[in-house]
Amino acid sequence: MSVSTVAADRSVCAPLPVLGRDVTVPLVTGGEVTYAALDYAASAPALQRVWDDVAAYAPYYGSVHRGAGYLSQLSTDLFENARRTVAEFLDCRADDQVVFTRSTTDSLNLLAAALPEGCEVFVFETEHHASLLPWRGARVTYLDAPSSPRQAVETLESALADRDPHGPALVCVTGASNVTGELWPVRELAAAAHAQGARIVLDAAQLAPHHPVSVTDLDVDWVAFSGHKLYAPFGSGVLAGRADWLREAEPYLAGGGASRKVARRTDGGVDVEWHESAARHEAGSPNVIGAYACKALTEAGFDTLVAREQYLIEKVRAGLAEVPQVRILSLFGDDAPRVGVISFVVDGWNSSHFAAALSAEYGIGVRDGLFCAHPLLRTLLGSDPQTQGECGAPEAAPGEKSLNAIRVSFGAGTPDEHVERFVSAVKELVTDGAKWNYRTEDGRCVPDTSA
């Protein structure tokens, strides 16, 4: 389906109903307006369909696993069915495990804890901190930011060629940048990793809500993502993929559910036999209701969702291109495929000040800062002169300039009016300035209501 087709057929491209779509917020200049939630990359609003399913299940909530009661058995069936739903959503291989976690960050820390001894890790500096920082017990090679998908593959190939070919190695890569929205060449990177005997984990936190993810087709060894970015309420995450490293590792969390058998020893200690299934890393009471969104997105049809999002991306990028003071941040260039995540800076404005004005004067929620991807933002912004602006400039380390940007992000629940209001507000703020005075409070730019 082409973008022009989507634009013409509103019955096909209507946004999916989400919670909060009718919420109104006050404006500092007076009156109220329907809130425009354009911070999907941080947490997407829950789909109404998902919330309805959760509400329907809630009266039947019971403890998962080992309970003899009817509600416990029902909850256990729902939980294990959710595991199968996620495996189908990700097109997992027959022998892959699906482990439920709290988030992408939790999933990657789990995998980091399961690395075999002597494992080398290769990760681009462009990663979100969730995939940049967990590998503290391993020897890590940080790869420079590439300027093109081809260069990303060549950089990885060169780094892997210099490693010990007999030891284990893991490559960690994002599917879509949480800063630029650009898609990474995951399939090609996986092929490069496997050619050198390394494994690869895909951080799909920003990819899975926008595009279908096939573990089989991409040929990745693991994939991690978060429910709260996939239109699901509450804290849930997934690590899915090969079972061997997970099965051989000590449990990520020690406790009930992870243990199969515990017995006292004569010397006063305890012997523990751990599960070999996904339960090995799911100690404690799990989140039963975090997997409904996978089914809802599949039923909605990714082809239609992707086409409509592309239409919104082009609408936003075309609108921002009409403002000379705006620079959109990019690694791979204007023609790179991307999801609905766009970061930019505005000449003469501190980004915190600009984001505060969008919220207070227009009812538009975006994000400002470094987006938990500090090395990438320093690469993208390092040569730019930084304007302190009226307020809200983040503190910089000694010898560093103050850096921050604005990020607008959207998805399946975003109506046209929200992105149209956003583009109009950007143009108005750049042309006319803010209507209100702002001050810094606890490091944030906020409207000054003291007058």
Side-chain angles (χ1 to χ4, degrees):
M1 183 181 294
S2 68
V3 174
S4 59
T5 302
V6 175
D9 190 349
R10 296 296 186 213
S11 64
V12 172
C13 69
L16 298 182
V18 294
L19 293 182
R21 59 190 180 275
D22 298 323
V23 168
T24 59
V25 294
L27 300 180
V28 71
T29 51
E32 293 186 341
V33 67
T34 303
Y35 183 65
L38 296 178
D39 194 15
Y40 276 48
S43 284
L47 289 173
Q48 185 68 54
R49 154 75 188 281
V50 175
W51 186 259
D52 291 343
D53 285 345
V54 170
Y57 159 69
Y60 301 94
Y61 171 81
S63 179
V64 172
H65 296 145
R66 298 174 303 284
Y70 177 81
L71 295 189
S72 178
Q73 293 180 41
L74 175 62
S75 293
T76 299
D77 286 344
L78 287 170
F79 184 67
E80 294 305 330
N81 282 332
R83 200 187 303 276
R84 287 187 285 273
T85 296
V86 170
E88 293 172 0
F89 178 73
L90 296 173
D91 190 24
C92 287
R93 297 164 293 250
D95 55 352
D96 283 341
Q97 279 190 354
V98 173
V99 181
F100 285 121
T101 66
R102 294 175 295 179
S103 61
T104 306
T105 302
D106 197 35
S107 296
L108 293 172
N109 275 272
L110 189 166
L111 184 60
L115 296 181
E117 186 176 355
C119 187
E120 295 182 67
V121 176
F122 297 83
V123 57
F124 285 92
E125 68 173 357
T126 48
E127 295 290 311
H128 185 282
H129 293 172
S131 47
L132 189 74
L133 302 181
W135 322 105
R136 289 167 291 180
R139 186 169 58 152
V140 184
T141 298
Y142 295 103
L143 307 176
D144 292 340
S147 60
S148 68
R150 180 66 248 168
Q151 188 180 62
V153 176
E154 291 171 351
T155 298
L156 179 61
E157 288 174 336
S158 177
L160 290 174
D162 294 334
R163 81 175 189 90
D164 177 1
H166 303 294
L170 178 71
V171 176
C172 180
V173 67
T174 188
S177 170
N178 77 304
V179 175
T180 67
E182 292 164 320
L183 300 183
W184 277 62
V186 177
R187 187 181 294 103
E188 292 81 359
L189 291 167
H194 293 153
Q196 295 290 340
R199 298 190 180 190
I200 186 168
V201 58
L202 169 63
D203 175 353
Q206 298 296 341
L207 182 63
H210 304 276
H211 281 267
V213 175
S214 169
V215 169
T216 302
D217 181 52
L218 295 173
D219 197 23
V220 294
D221 297 281
W222 292 276
V223 61
F225 69 90
S226 297
H228 72 99
K229 298 184 190 296
L230 197 76
Y231 310 103
F234 311 111
S236 61
V238 165
L239 177 67
R242 302 199 181 279
D244 54 350
W245 286 8
L246 299 176
R247 185 172 55 241
E248 294 160 9
E250 287 294 302
Y252 179 52
L253 298 173
S259 56
R260 187 198 305 262
K261 180 181 179 181
V262 181
R264 287 290 302 273
R265 296 196 306 262
T266 56
D267 64 2
V270 294
D271 287 323
V272 183
E273 179 182 335
W274 304 104
H275 281 291
E276 294 188 355
S277 65
R280 184 183 188 90
H281 299 289
E282 293 178 343
S285 296
N287 184 342
V288 183
I289 57 180
Y292 288 114
C294 295
K295 185 176 181 180
L297 289 178
T298 300
E299 291 178 353
F302 262 111
D303 286 347
T304 299
L305 297 176
V306 169
R308 182 175 188 279
E309 184 173 311
Q310 192 60 42
Y311 161 71
L312 295 178
I313 292 170
E314 293 187 9
K315 181 185 282 285
V316 172
R317 287 177 62 84
L320 294 180
E322 295 174 357
V323 186
Q325 295 86 345
V326 169
R327 181 171 77 88
I328 296 177
L329 305 181
S330 175
L331 275 175
F332 300 156
D334 289 343
D335 296 331
R338 64 193 73 232
V339 299
V341 179
I342 299 169
S343 296
F344 62 98
V345 291
V346 183
D347 289 346
W349 286 81
N350 174 266
S351 295
S352 179
H353 186 194
F354 200 88
L358 285 173
S359 174
E361 300 178 26
Y362 299 91
I364 299 170
V366 298
R367 186 151 296 238
D368 65 277
L370 298 177
F371 318 128
C372 291
H374 294 187
L376 172 55
L377 264 296
R378 286 191 171 92
T379 295
L380 295 171
L381 298 175
S383 61
D384 280 3
Q386 296 300 303
T387 302
Q388 290 286 57
E390 185 175 345
C391 72
E395 294 181 1
E400 282 193 346
K401 292 178 291 186
S402 174
L403 301 175
N404 63 337
I406 306 153
R407 184 181 70 190
V408 56
S409 53
F410 40 86
T414 305
D416 289 20
E417 189 275 329
H418 287 186
V419 298
E420 291 164 356
R421 192 196 319 169
F422 164 76
V423 170
S424 176
V426 169
K427 293 178 179 179
E428 191 169 302
L429 283 172
V430 169
T431 301
D432 301 332
K435 301 182 181 70
W436 204 263
N437 293 324
Y438 294 80
R439 59 184 174 83
T440 300
E441 182 177 292
D442 296 328
R444 298 291 306 167
C445 190
V446 299
D448 187 351
T449 57
S450 59

